[in-house]
Amino acid sequence: MWLSSTMKMMMRIRYLLILISLCGCLEKPETRMFEQATKAYQSKDYKKAISLFEKLILSTNQSDVRLESAEKLISIYEIQGDFANKRKKLQFIVVNSPQRSQRIQAKQKMVDMEFFKLKNYDLAISHYSELIELGFNQNKNQLMIARCYYYQNNFDQALYELERVLKSTKSRGLRFEAELLKGHIQFAEKKYKKSAMVYTDLIEHYPTEAKKNFVLLNLAMSQEEDGLYAQAIKSV
């Protein structure tokens, strides 16, 4: 009787181990693929890593694996300068991530890429405006809109956006950047006296930031263009 009970228990344990083994086998292929892809990524074998991460995104139903694969691909495409594919993977995260913060951060990376890498200012303005409506980095993104208009030579609109930033933020860094851009706009408009006044004010009130951003040189250039050569030499 005791032996029979023991044998039954052993059989149950055996079946349980077989079941656990089968479950492990079902999970192993994609787990192994992710490990191989990660290893290829770490060893900078990007061709292999891209192939494996792309397969994972298409083949697995696990949301976290798909999103982590997309993040790795974004990093690879950034290194390779493949911004078209980087945009696709950022958009994938925007559409598929269950976390609002991750979706918005992906959107921010996407719009910053449009501005800094692709110089697509119209599209950048549209996306920055969407982020502002979502309440994300409102003042910083408003400043970025001003920069877009500046690079499009739409100086009046750029100044309007800068005034909105200056009225709504107390951030020292953002205020410095906004005032500096205002000086650059006035210089571009050949209003050299006004740009010199802005640069002088920045040097007085933001000495550390002004030094890092070579505002003295901007001041000297304004003075030189205004015919104040002696002052320009002194500023330099």
Side-chain angles (χ1 to χ4, degrees), residues 70-214:
E71 291 280 9
K72 287 289 194 298
L73 286 167
I74 288 166
S75 178
I76 293 171
Y77 291 137
E78 170 68 25
I79 292 168
Q80 294 182 332
D82 186 349
F83 300 116
N85 276 314
K86 180 183 176 183
R87 182 195 287 123
K88 289 178 182 178
K89 290 300 171 281
L90 286 167
Q91 185 63 35
F92 175 84
I93 293 173
V94 170
V95 172
N96 291 282
S97 176
Q99 299 178 12
R100 183 177 184 272
S101 61
Q102 188 177 25
R103 293 196 304 271
I104 292 177
Q105 286 169 8
K107 183 83 170 177
Q108 182 76 65
K109 288 179 182 178
M110 189 161 58
V111 65
D112 286 342
M113 181 183 71
E114 297 294 346
F115 178 87
F116 290 106
K117 302 294 185 180
L118 303 177
K119 317 298 183 187
N120 192 342
Y121 300 124
D122 285 331
L123 187 58
I125 289 169
S126 176
H127 287 318
Y128 281 129
S129 298
E130 289 174 8
L131 287 167
I132 289 169
E133 289 179 8
L134 292 170
F136 188 74
N137 286 343
Q138 290 174 298
N139 291 317
K140 182 178 179 182
N141 286 321
Q142 196 79 54
L143 177 60
M144 293 306 297
I145 289 176
R147 284 181 172 148
C148 289
Y149 284 122
Y150 168 69
Y151 285 116
Q152 291 180 324
N153 294 323
N154 189 344
F155 299 135
D156 288 342
Q157 189 63 38
L159 288 170
Y160 172 76
E161 302 296 339
L162 288 175
E163 288 304 321
R164 294 180 68 183
V165 174
L166 291 167
K167 286 179 181 178
S168 61
T169 185
K170 294 182 179 179
S171 166
R172 180 180 177 87
L174 287 179
R175 293 187 68 83
F176 170 79
E177 290 183 45
E179 291 287 359
L180 181 60
L181 183 55
K182 187 188 292 186
H184 293 343
I185 290 170
Q186 289 166 340
F187 184 88
E189 292 182 315
K190 299 183 179 180
K191 298 176 181 177
Y192 302 122
K193 283 185 171 59
K194 287 187 176 181
S195 63
M197 287 175 63
V198 172
Y199 296 139
T200 300
D201 194 57
L202 286 172
I203 292 165
E204 180 182 350
H205 294 98
Y206 301 87
T208 303
E209 296 89 339
K211 186 176 181 180
K212 288 180 181 178
N213 288 271
F214 307 103

Side-chain angles (χ1 to χ4, degrees), residues 215-231:
V215 178
L216 267 174
L217 180 59
N218 296 127
L219 173 59
M221 289 170 64
S222 293
Q223 291 167 334
E224 182 182 6
E225 292 293 339
D226 200 29
L228 304 173
Y229 302 114
Q231 291 185 35

